[in-house]
Amino acid sequence: MIKVNSNFGKLQGSYLFSETAKRINAHAQAHPEAEIIRLGIGDVTMPICEAVSKAMHKAVDEMATKGGFHGYGPEQGYEFLRAAIAKNDYKARGVDIALDEIFVSDGSKCDTGNIGDILGSDCVVAVTDPVYPVYVDTNVMAGRSGDFDPATGRFKNIVYIVTDAGNSFVPEIPKQKVDIVYLCYPNNPTGMTLTRDQLKVWVDWANKEGVLILFDGAYERFITEDDVPHSIYEIEGAKTCAIEFRSFSKTAGFTGTRCAYTVVPKELMGRDDKGQAVSLNALWNRRHTTKFNGVSYVVQRGAEAVYSPEGRQQVESVLAYYLNNAKIILKGLADIGITAYGGVNSPYVWLKTPGGMDSWSFFDKLLKEANVAGTPGAGFGAAGEGYFRLTAFNTPENTERAIQRFASLNI
Amino acid sequence: MIKVNSNFGKLQGSYLFSETAKRINAHAQAHPEAEIIRLGIGDVTMPICEAVSKAMHKAVDEMATKGGFHGYGPEQGYEFLRAAIAKNDYKARGVDIALDEIFVSDGSKCDTGNIGDILGSDCVVAVTDPVYPVYVDTNVMAGRSGDFDPATGRFKNIVYIVTDAGNSFVPEIPKQKVDIVYLCYPNNPTGMTLTRDQLKVWVDWANKEGVLILFDGAYERFITEDDVPHSIYEIEGAKTCAIEFRSFSKTAGFTGTRCAYTVVPKELMGRDDKGQAVSLNALWNRRHTTKFNGVSYVVQRGAEAVYSPEGRQQVESVLAYYLNNAKIILKGLADIGITAYGGVNSPYVWLKTPGGMDSWSFFDKLLKEANVAGTPGAGFGAAGEGYFRLTAFNTPENTERAIQRFASLNI
């Protein structure tokens, strides 16, 4: 009999979005006349911009000719794209990132999951709570957790760092010894950020304690405030303790086009079981070239176009569109006295459920009484209980209407 | 200090193609007048066909409109593509594969590497020798090997199954107890195949012994002979012992476009450390949905077009072009008395180096005396010593010229 990875047996069902979909469908069937407005979706809704589609058309044409055809490309990504990333996402912010520190991939979900391949299986992992479930699940699969504890809703041996209104969504440095910590800022699901000073506390601690920070900056382009860093490498010392994940998904509507990248600085060193210093950049390069074969040429040309003058402008206007929706949500909630967070540097608004309702009860109430669908905060972790996520990925008209319906709720 | 995966320390440098490139470049610099013909390349050279580029253009247009935009798709691949695969690659050959047994991905290199995530870390792995290095390296990374032994050129605890002229390239069932075996047919690098009866021996043994066959069919479309199975599932019993990897890379020139798929039958069961039966399909589905976010919509539409009547015809004509080159090589070598294998159901020809030369000496001789570049068989494993790989991925004119130069070699 084939021996499987038994750690998969510890995983819990990916319950959140299937359960919300189930309840929404049941409601829609029971009330066919109801016009349900969905503010639960974590996916972009606006088309790819013209600069991107133009570049992709051009690349398809190239691929269809003998002279322009591209076979296997460099697994790390074409130099034209890595150069555009280094220049626009880093150099322009005063950060020097070399081309061989950038690894283009087909998604941050893959990268944040696969990064575990190069890390010790006995590393202690810390995550903020609430959290993007992929960080936890991929470490469970890799054997870095104990069993799931239904009483706490958490896995044993994973360190959960509560981030809620009680600490103004600024996570505290864990007291336990940890080896790896995932930080996602602007945060999914809370929409909150860390300032430069707040992030520096983490970088200094990580360098002092020998901790690896896995920094997920998927929502970077939504940042509007000056004191919020766009990259962890804006913080002095981050190159010796942090790997950064960035994506074109939310930036440029690439959730269905697929392109992302990971930065692994050459200064970043780990230690093997003989105590020898090992470059994480070299390890990730070996992993990336052995288990990945590069992103589609056509897609990389599309991603490159995001950095062109037209591309930048077109992308900015889409981001402004989403951020305007977030503003509508924030203002509407404030007007009716619902406390809400995020939404300023993020497409996500994280509200405190009114009257101390639990997340799922509020989900049901909002759906049944107002025909508005969101996402229960408890679905993102134990510390999300009593919170609720709304997203800016709908039209301004629907967003306005949804917020008006909030006002008519009996709360 | 960050604890890394120490298994990476066992890996050997990916020496083969960097070393051949180095020697070719040195020769080109020393002899700028030499017109070097490269028959070493394992990458397609013909553009994507018109049906594919048309479908991709259409999909890019869709993505650029509000009504046609696609965000996150199903991680397993769109139904339109999985239905085309099930119908054309399986049903048409009498094999029933359900849509939820097909997992579309961005490449077989990823899939053959990532599949290890769902398997026990203590599984004993067997590979044929010579072999595609990814099978070995990904298992070394996952801790399924001992150290590299420079004396044998092999990793300890990996079972190497010699496939050479001595056994007519039909690997023998290993005598040791193994848990996983990688089979690639048509084979890279030898270009040889197994007949139905020969493959059945492996399937029967795997079912009897509880072994998982990881069957890599990346070169399936090159099959011309009737008794060579196109899928392992043409063999009775394969659904309870085999996972199949297939790719559009060599089939339809997608090496730079990126699309592949993996079939995990629902009948295929493993056992966890408590002895419980576990569905490998369910495990791979969990892995695929947690660590992967689907293939680009545009690329999936391109892959779908490979199955259209025009796509099929266009792809066939490209495959015929490559197979004709292989024929030129085979005939040319036979004429000058060099023994060669493969090339009939494969773009690869595997020749016995004349006069018992070792692979690298023959590489140097061919490069220096005939200005032809190939790939030394020893680079694919210890049992590749004394062999040499030529590929059909050049023009017929260059292939003819290369073979004429072989004839003038002083051997």
Side-chain angles (χ1 to χ4, degrees):
Chain A
M1 186 61 82
I2 301 153
K3 288 180 269 186
V4 305
N5 177 351
S6 296
N7 294 308
F8 275 66
K10 300 175 190 164
L11 291 166
Q12 302 301 300
S14 43
Y15 162 82
L16 179 59
F17 289 100
S18 58
E19 182 61 25
T20 56
K22 205 174 106 187
R23 296 192 192 194
I24 294 166
N25 290 340
H27 179 67
Q29 279 184 4
H31 303 276
E33 77 294 349
E35 287 179 62
I36 300 172
I37 300 176
R38 291 163 198 255
L39 299 184
I41 187 176
D43 192 2
V44 297
T45 46
M46 295 289 281
I48 55 170
C49 69
E50 202 195 322
V52 169
S53 70
K54 224 168 115 179
M56 289 178 75
H57 276 305
K58 187 163 169 264
V60 172
D61 281 337
E62 280 183 72
M63 291 295 275
T65 61
K66 264 202 152 172
F69 178 72
H70 285 73
Y72 291 121
E75 289 98 342
Q76 300 90 342
Y78 280 100
E79 205 169 300
F80 63 75
L81 179 55
R82 287 185 288 145
I85 290 165
K87 182 182 163 202
N88 294 282
D89 288 345
Y90 293 102
K91 193 73 192 166
R93 298 197 180 277
V95 177
D96 283 316
I97 296 291
L99 265 51
D100 57 2
E101 296 177 313
I102 299 170
F103 298 86
V104 174
S105 84
D106 65 319
S108 281
K109 187 176 174 188
C110 312
D111 287 346
T112 55
N114 291 333
I115 197 75
D117 279 8
I118 67 167
L119 301 171
S121 59
D122 59 341
C123 285
V124 177
V125 173
V127 295
T128 56
D129 180 5
V131 68
Y132 177 53
V134 165
Y135 308 153
V136 174
D137 287 356
T138 54
N139 280 295
V140 174
M141 289 175 181
R144 294 195 189 92
S145 79
D147 286 331
F148 183 74
D149 179 359
T152 60
R154 292 173 165 181
F155 286 94
K156 288 177 187 161
N157 305 350
I158 299 264
V159 176
Y160 292 83
I161 310 166
V162 170
T163 47
D164 62 10
N167 53 24
S168 306
F169 298 91
V170 179
E172 278 171 40
I173 299 286
K175 288 179 182 63
Q176 305 94 313
K177 170 76 189 145
V178 306
D179 297 298
I180 302 167
V181 62
Y182 288 80
L183 295 177
C184 171
Y185 288 98
N187 188 259
N188 176 18
T190 71
M192 296 295 279
T193 53
L194 294 183
T195 63
R196 273 189 190 78
D197 290 347
Q198 287 163 345
L199 188 54
K200 187 165 191 323
V201 173
W202 283 86
V203 168
D204 290 346
W205 165 76
N207 276 319
K208 189 164 158 260
E209 299 290 330
V211 175
L212 175 63
I213 298 176
L214 298 174
F215 191 81
D216 185 347
Y219 296 90
E220 172 269 335
R221 278 296 174 96
F222 289 91
I223 295 171
T224 59
E225 294 182 317
D226 284 343
D227 61 346
V228 177
H230 288 248
S231 162
I232 195 167
Y233 304 119
E234 293 178 39
I235 313 299
E236 204 192 324
K239 284 189 178 177
T240 51
C241 67
I243 289 173
E244 181 162 286
F245 304 96
R246 295 278 281 270
S247 172
F248 294 89
S249 283
K250 306 295 157 80
T251 299
F254 269 45
T255 52
T257 301
R258 315 299 317 140
C259 199
Y261 66 87
T262 290
V263 175
V264 189
K266 280 178 280 190
E267 291 94 322
L268 186 57
M269 302 300 287
R271 205 163 277 282
D272 68 16
D273 56 11
K274 296 187 192 83
Q276 298 277 341
V278 181
S279 155
L280 268 74
N281 177 283
L283 290 185
W284 185 246
N285 188 60
R286 190 62 157 95
R287 196 273 169 208
H288 205 66
T289 52
T290 304
K291 293 178 84 170
F292 185 65
N293 233 335
V295 171
S296 180
Y297 173 73
V298 172
V299 171
Q300 290 193 60
R301 281 294 184 198
E304 181 194 24
V306 172
Y307 297 103
S308 67
E310 317 82 65
R312 293 184 78 90
Q313 207 180 351
Q314 292 160 8
V315 159
E316 286 305 323
S317 94
V318 175
L319 294 170
Y321 174 95
Y322 293 136
L323 281 169
N324 180 55
N325 291 342
K327 229 179 233 167
I328 293 170
I329 297 172
L330 281 178
K331 187 178 176 309
L333 293 176
D335 287 350
I336 54 172
I338 292 180
T339 308
Y341 307 93
V344 176
N345 303 292
S346 167
Y348 297 138
V349 174
W350 187 245
L351 62 88
K352 190 90 197 71
T353 56
M357 288 180 85
D358 70 81
S359 298
W360 281 102
S361 299
F362 185 70
F363 173 86
D364 287 334
K365 185 180 177 70
L366 189 65
L367 180 62
K368 284 177 188 163
E369 296 180 17
N371 294 314
V372 173
T375 309
F380 297 100
E385 182 56 273
Y387 291 89
F388 197 79
R389 193 186 77 172
L390 296 175
T391 79
F393 297 125
N394 209 316
T395 62
E397 298 72 30
N398 279 341
T399 308
E400 288 276 13
R401 284 169 64 211
I403 290 303
Q404 282 159 16
R405 294 186 193 170
F406 256 81
S408 65
L409 269 184
N410 181 20
I411 46 176
Chain B
M1 187 61 83
I2 302 152
K3 287 181 271 183
V4 305
N5 176 353
S6 296
N7 294 310
F8 275 66
K10 299 174 191 165
L11 291 165
Q12 303 301 300
S14 44
Y15 163 81
L16 178 59
F17 289 99
S18 58
E19 181 62 25
T20 55
K22 206 174 106 187
R23 296 192 191 193
I24 294 166
N25 290 340
H27 179 67
Q29 278 182 6
H31 302 277
E33 78 294 348
E35 285 179 64
I36 300 171
I37 299 176
R38 289 162 200 256
L39 299 183
I41 188 175
D43 191 4
V44 297
T45 46
M46 294 291 279
I48 55 171
C49 69
E50 203 194 322
V52 168
S53 71
K54 225 168 116 179
M56 290 179 74
H57 276 305
K58 186 161 169 269
V60 171
D61 280 337
E62 281 183 70
M63 291 295 275
T65 62
K66 265 201 152 172
F69 178 72
H70 286 73
Y72 291 120
E75 289 98 340
Q76 300 90 342
Y78 281 98
E79 206 169 298
F80 63 75
L81 179 54
R82 287 185 289 144
I85 290 166
K87 183 182 162 202
N88 294 281
D89 288 344
Y90 293 101
K91 193 75 192 165
R93 297 196 180 277
V95 178
D96 283 315
I97 295 292
L99 265 52
D100 58 0
E101 296 178 313
I102 299 171
F103 298 86
V104 175
S105 82
D106 64 319
S108 283
K109 188 177 171 185
C110 311
D111 288 345
T112 54
N114 291 332
I115 197 73
D117 280 8
I118 67 168
L119 301 172
S121 59
D122 58 341
C123 285
V124 177
V125 173
V127 294
T128 56
D129 180 3
V131 68
Y132 178 51
V134 164
Y135 309 152
V136 174
D137 287 357
T138 56
N139 280 296
V140 174
M141 289 176 179
R144 293 195 190 93
S145 79
D147 287 331
F148 183 76
D149 179 358
T152 60
R154 291 172 164 183
F155 286 94
K156 287 175 187 162
N157 306 348
I158 300 264
V159 176
Y160 293 83
I161 309 167
V162 171
T163 47
D164 61 10
N167 51 25
S168 306
F169 297 91
V170 180
E172 278 170 41
I173 300 285
K175 290 179 183 61
Q176 306 95 314
K177 168 79 189 142
V178 307
D179 298 296
I180 303 167
V181 61
Y182 288 81
L183 295 179
C184 172
Y185 288 97
N187 188 259
N188 176 18
T190 69
M192 296 296 278
T193 53
L194 294 184
T195 63
R196 272 187 191 79
D197 290 345
Q198 288 163 346
L199 188 53
K200 189 163 188 322
V201 173
W202 284 85
V203 168
D204 290 346
W205 163 77
N207 276 319
K208 187 163 161 260
E209 299 290 331
V211 174
L212 175 64
I213 298 177
L214 298 173
F215 191 81
D216 186 347
Y219 296 90
E220 171 269 335
R221 278 297 174 94
F222 289 91
I223 295 172
T224 59
E225 293 181 318
D226 284 343
D227 61 345
V228 177
H230 288 246
S231 161
I232 193 167
Y233 304 120
E234 293 179 40
I235 312 300
E236 204 191 324
K239 283 188 178 179
T240 51
C241 68
I243 291 174
E244 179 161 290
F245 304 96
R246 297 276 281 267
S247 171
F248 295 90
S249 282
K250 305 294 158 78
T251 299
F254 269 43
T255 52
T257 300
R258 313 300 317 139
C259 199
Y261 66 86
T262 291
V263 175
V264 188
K266 280 179 281 191
E267 290 95 321
L268 185 58
M269 302 300 285
R271 206 162 276 283
D272 69 14
D273 55 11
K274 295 184 190 85
Q276 298 278 339
V278 182
S279 154
L280 268 72
N281 178 284
L283 290 184
W284 185 245
N285 189 58
R286 191 63 156 95
R287 195 274 170 206
H288 205 66
T289 54
T290 304
K291 295 178 84 169
F292 184 64
N293 233 333
V295 170
S296 181
Y297 173 73
V298 172
V299 171
Q300 290 192 61
R301 281 294 184 197
E304 182 193 22
V306 171
Y307 298 102
S308 67
E310 317 81 66
R312 294 185 76 91
Q313 205 180 352
Q314 290 161 8
V315 158
E316 286 304 324
S317 94
V318 174
L319 294 170
Y321 173 94
Y322 293 136
L323 281 169
N324 181 54
N325 290 342
K327 228 178 236 171
I328 293 170
I329 297 172
L330 282 178
K331 185 177 178 307
L333 292 177
D335 287 349
I336 55 172
I338 292 179
T339 309
Y341 307 92
V344 175
N345 302 291
S346 166
Y348 297 138
V349 173
W350 187 246
L351 63 89
K352 192 90 198 70
T353 55
M357 285 180 88
D358 70 81
S359 297
W360 281 102
S361 298
F362 185 68
F363 173 88
D364 286 334
K365 185 180 178 71
L366 189 64
L367 181 62
K368 285 178 187 160
E369 296 179 17
N371 294 311
V372 173
T375 308
F380 296 98
E385 181 58 271
Y387 291 90
F388 197 79
R389 193 185 77 172
L390 296 175
T391 80
F393 297 124
N394 209 315
T395 61
E397 298 73 29
N398 278 341
T399 306
E400 288 276 14
R401 284 169 63 211
I403 291 303
Q404 282 160 15
R405 293 186 193 170
F406 257 81
S408 66
L409 268 184
N410 180 20
I411 45 177

